[in-house]
Amino acid sequence: MSAGPALLTDVVAPVRSTAPLLEVHGLVKHFPAERGLLGGHAVVHAVDGVDLEVRRGEVLAVVGESGSGKSTLARCVLRLIAPTAGSIVFDGEDVTRIRGASLARFRQRVQPVFQDPYSSLDPRWRVGWSVREALDAFGIGTREEREARVLDLLDRIGLSPAHADRRPHELSGGQRQRVGIAAALAPAPDLIVADEPVSALDVSVQAQVLNLLAELQRDLGLAIMFVAHDLAVVEHISHRVAVMYLGKIVELGRTEQVFRDPRHPYTKALLDAIPYPDPSRRVRAPGLEGEIPSPITPPTGCRFHTRCPVAIERCTTEEPAFTQFDDGHVAACHVARAALEQAADRRKEG
């Protein structure tokens, strides 16, 4: 459908279970900020009431522009930062309340893959050391078993045993990101949180890394929370898509639902921004105008109304609730809800 990276893998493995592995309820993360020359203090509304879940063996994509709050959401899920409010329940346990050994067990089961494959690796360490770090930290296996695990992981991600003795500066960007993925896989996690894992890579390398993640998800039954700003990147590797705007989720549904029948104007704008290589294809709708508003003073009502081409008066004053358009497909939009109700009324009259 799209002109994103040329994926060899178009289908991810079926979801292993409908039971949620991760449940996020009412998550809020505010950061204190100063008002510059005006003085005083303000609050950055980075994440402002997010509810979502990731099922076992599922790939959930979280998509939005820079400043939408998706990376802050990922860092909260990883317990790299503490949320201001809300709960993060992993396998039945609220991880916002755990400490010590319980937190260590959580970190073993939930591993990150970061955006920058160079800064996420210690430049002084050889590749083998970076991959083995989590095994050493969690005391997994004997020394011989850890060494064997490192070599097995390097083979799984497409690198040779000789790469174990190299340092990050001796590798390409794609190879470094593969090492980051191997390091995340080392302690055999149940969930990987991948924060923009391909955005720093060339398009051709993006496809290779995406294919690798899809293969690993299929072979290992991993659950993945995949953060991205580009819908084209996640189309072929995600089971469901959550679209974020200015700290809130505005649409959520199965990937095919979101791509074939988007309901929120913001989702439609993101899809319209995907380039198509066919010059004979008709020109799509114009892109979004203006910048995303400041999270210090987010707009009242629907936060997207300042850039929305179909906004009505109600959008400026009343925050929209989620409306269900199909099984598992919801969006928070007054205009889309009104269109759905009008269609239902016409069917009744007919």
Side-chain angles (χ1 to χ4, degrees), residues 81-322:
I81 55 177
T84 304
S87 64
I88 303 168
V89 179
F90 178 77
D91 202 11
E93 182 177 32
D94 187 349
V95 300
T96 63
R97 303 177 182 274
I98 60 177
R99 301 291 186 275
S102 296
L103 181 58
R105 286 193 295 272
F106 168 75
R107 296 200 188 285
Q108 180 178 341
R109 298 182 63 190
V110 180
Q111 285 285 304
V113 175
F114 295 110
Q115 176 178 358
D116 187 345
Y118 190 77
S119 63
S120 63
L121 300 174
D122 192 322
R124 302 166 300 175
W125 284 15
R126 299 185 187 278
V127 164
W129 300 352
S130 293
V131 175
R132 199 183 64 224
E133 180 182 13
L135 300 174
D136 294 337
F138 296 119
I140 300 173
T142 64
R143 182 180 179 84
E144 291 74 18
E145 289 171 338
R146 295 174 194 173
E147 295 294 340
R149 173 74 170 161
V150 169
L151 296 179
D152 176 68
L153 286 168
L154 290 179
D155 179 67
R156 184 180 285 274
I157 63 169
L159 298 180
S160 69
H163 285 93
D165 291 324
R166 297 182 185 177
R167 289 187 169 84
H169 73 271
E170 300 177 87
L171 306 179
S172 68
Q175 288 174 329
R176 286 195 290 263
Q177 193 60 289
R178 287 172 182 265
V179 172
I181 293 171
L185 291 175
D190 298 297
L191 171 67
I192 285 181
V193 179
D195 186 7
E196 299 271 16
V198 298
S199 63
L201 306 176
D202 292 338
V203 173
S204 60
V205 181
Q206 285 183 14
Q208 297 171 16
V209 173
L210 289 171
N211 285 330
L212 173 63
L213 286 170
E215 291 166 5
L216 292 170
Q217 186 275 332
R218 183 176 57 246
D219 296 344
L220 303 177
L222 288 169
I224 301 177
M225 179 176 167
F226 191 103
V227 174
H229 65 270
D230 185 354
L231 270 170
V233 166
V234 304
E235 180 181 2
H236 299 285
I237 68 165
S238 62
H239 297 95
R240 291 188 302 138
V241 175
V243 181
M244 282 193 74
Y245 184 80
L246 207 58
K248 291 183 175 290
I249 291 178
V250 298
E251 186 160 0
L252 175 66
R254 295 193 304 274
T255 303
E256 63 271 18
Q257 292 172 328
V258 172
F259 274 80
R260 295 176 186 173
D261 188 25
R263 294 303 180 120
H264 199 281
Y266 181 59
T267 307
K268 295 177 182 179
L270 292 179
L271 288 170
D272 286 337
I274 298 174
Y276 286 80
D278 184 0
S280 65
R281 189 181 182 91
R282 68 177 181 85
V283 178
R284 308 198 77 182
L288 285 173
E289 295 184 359
E291 299 293 333
I292 190 168
S294 170
I296 295 178
T297 55
T300 58
C302 174
R303 295 189 174 187
F304 185 59
H305 82 260
T306 59
R307 305 169 71 194
C308 181
V310 296
I312 57 178
E313 181 64 26
R314 185 182 181 187
C315 301
T316 66
T317 58
E318 182 182 341
E319 183 175 342
F322 278 115

